[in-house]
Amino acid sequence: MPAIVLVGAQWGDEGKGKATDLLGTAVDYVVKFNGGNNAGHTVVIPSDDGPQKYALHLLPSGILTPGVTPVIGNGVVIDLGVLFEELDGLVERGVDVSQLVVSANAHVIASYNRTVDRVVERFLGSRKIGTTGRGIGPTYADKMNRIGIRVQDLFDEKILRQKVEGALDQKNHLLVKVYNRRAIDVDEVVDDLLRHAERLRPMVADTSLLLDRALDDGRTVLFEGGQATLLDVDHGTYPFVTSSNATSGGACTGAGIAPNRVDRVIAIAKAYVTRVGEGPFPTELPDGDADGELLRSAGHEFGTTTGRPRRCGWYDAVLSRYAARINGVTDFVLTKLDVLSGWEQIPVCVGYEVHGERLAEMPMTQTEFHHARPVYERLPGWQEDLSGARSFADLPPNAQAYVRALEEMSGAPISAIGVGPGRDQIVQLRPLI
Ligand code: GDP
Ligand code: IMO
Ligand code: MG
């Protein structure tokens, strides 16, 4: 099983980092193929000094496993300052990062893209997306507009300057005339980017070729998606999405591997649902709702990247079925089942009601999705603490039935269940590799 794609099934923060870490030493390469430092993955690793918590944003979570080669693919947008800060932080904690490889075709987040991200959000007012403010959207927009800066451009100062000039030509008009900001200086941007060039140079490679050869040699490659299915720019709840393809197809374009290389697609789904930022969320428990508050506090649902409280709601099987279809999911990993201990009954969304009509699938239009009201089935809850469970038989009967019911509704088998943040807090039902 050499090529495995791992994606989020909902709106992010499902526990992809932990799942990647779990596959650990069975993997030779871990590739980030989309997004940038908008992602936030918390990984908890046991050590002699107690559990060690790592928060990763730009680097793939697999970097924490000794012997794994981490790769940043062409589909990623890189904030160079963040890259080196994150690398330095890991080195300080004794992690070997020397194997990191970065695609020459990946795009770079220039300082003006962060400025534009924040200015545009403020300008949108009540129509804002609630972005992470990291410059992700504007950098992908530049890529599509063909005025982006790529990693390879850092090694040719003349070309770099021309490209920055070209990009700022348009942006300065916009910043000054529309957004009432000061114009950005070309030299400042070029100097800021060049600051990192020499340190970056030895890491840069043709990562598509590297991964192709690795697969030919029978190596195991894990493609680790940032964000999630419903945040995908094409298949998510547009416009309340990120600006990359976070679904499994994005692994092919964002890493330069062919679709017929992919053997397995693992989707990570939380046993309930959370969302950060704006946008529709049918099973959301409104602000102040006691169950919602309980999910947030029991699940520690505060963003790894921005610290924002995550919006919380019940499991939505319509979303999971959609994720199963769009990604070609072969296995689900169901995370945070432990958080659901203590409820008498647990509602699960099995369909939507839209304008009086019952739907079992995602509605065709965003307007319908905005009006979708969840149809709930209430499953019996359990009171026991699940954090020590290591086999399916260790779970109380109602928790087992909850998992089986979700599996039935969600369109692919559940192959592992998370029962706590720790690396060992997992119930494995079948091997993932
Ligand atoms: P990612 O963005 O998908 O990697 O997820 P995040 O790291 O942003 O958020 C998931 C959070 O849940 C992290 O704090 C993890 O440590 C934690 N976590 C992951 N799996 C489990 C689980 O099964 N149970 C509990 N209680 N926490 C988990
Ligand atoms: P991980 O990988 C949750 C959300 C933002 C915002 C929207 C657009 O940790 O699951 P952007 O800055 O990407 O332009 O913001 O997408 N968002 C995430 N939400 N988890 C993430 O990543 C996210 N990355 C972006 O909150 O609503
Ligand atoms: Mg996250």
Side-chain angles (χ1 to χ4, degrees), residues 16-17 32 39-43 54-57 59 61 224-226 304:
K16 297 177 291 293
K32 182 176 169 102
H41 308 302
T42 301
V43 181
Y54 293 86
L56 296 163
H57 297 284
L59 295 165
S61 312
E224 179 191 334
T304 313

Side-chain angles (χ1 to χ4, degrees), residues 147-218:
I147 53 165
I149 311 290
R150 297 199 289 178
V151 162
Q152 58 188 279
D153 300 329
L154 300 176
F155 310 120
D156 187 331
E157 189 175 340
K158 201 167 139 220
I159 292 280
L160 177 67
R161 187 169 297 276
Q162 274 173 17
K163 292 196 171 182
V164 170
E165 271 167 5
L168 279 179
D169 222 22
Q170 298 180 9
K171 272 181 229 300
N172 275 338
H173 281 295
L174 207 68
L175 282 169
V176 173
K177 292 181 186 152
V178 179
Y179 297 118
N180 215 9
R181 300 273 145 167
R182 76 170 177 90
I184 293 171
D185 181 51
V186 173
D187 287 338
E188 233 173 74
V189 175
V190 171
D191 291 349
D192 183 49
L193 292 172
L194 285 178
R195 210 156 43 90
H196 303 287
E198 284 319 305
R199 192 167 167 200
L200 187 65
R201 195 191 285 267
M203 303 173 188
V204 178
D206 179 343
T207 49
S208 162
L209 183 63
L210 177 84
L211 294 170
D212 195 62
R213 290 199 173 142
L215 288 168
D216 280 347
D217 291 345

Side-chain angles (χ1 to χ4, degrees), residues 12-17 38-42 56-57 227 276 303-305 310:
D13 305 324
E14 298 91 347
K16 297 177 291 293
N38 49 347
H41 308 302
T42 301
L56 296 163
H57 297 284
Q227 293 75 54
V276 199
T304 313
T305 299
R310 294 173 182 150

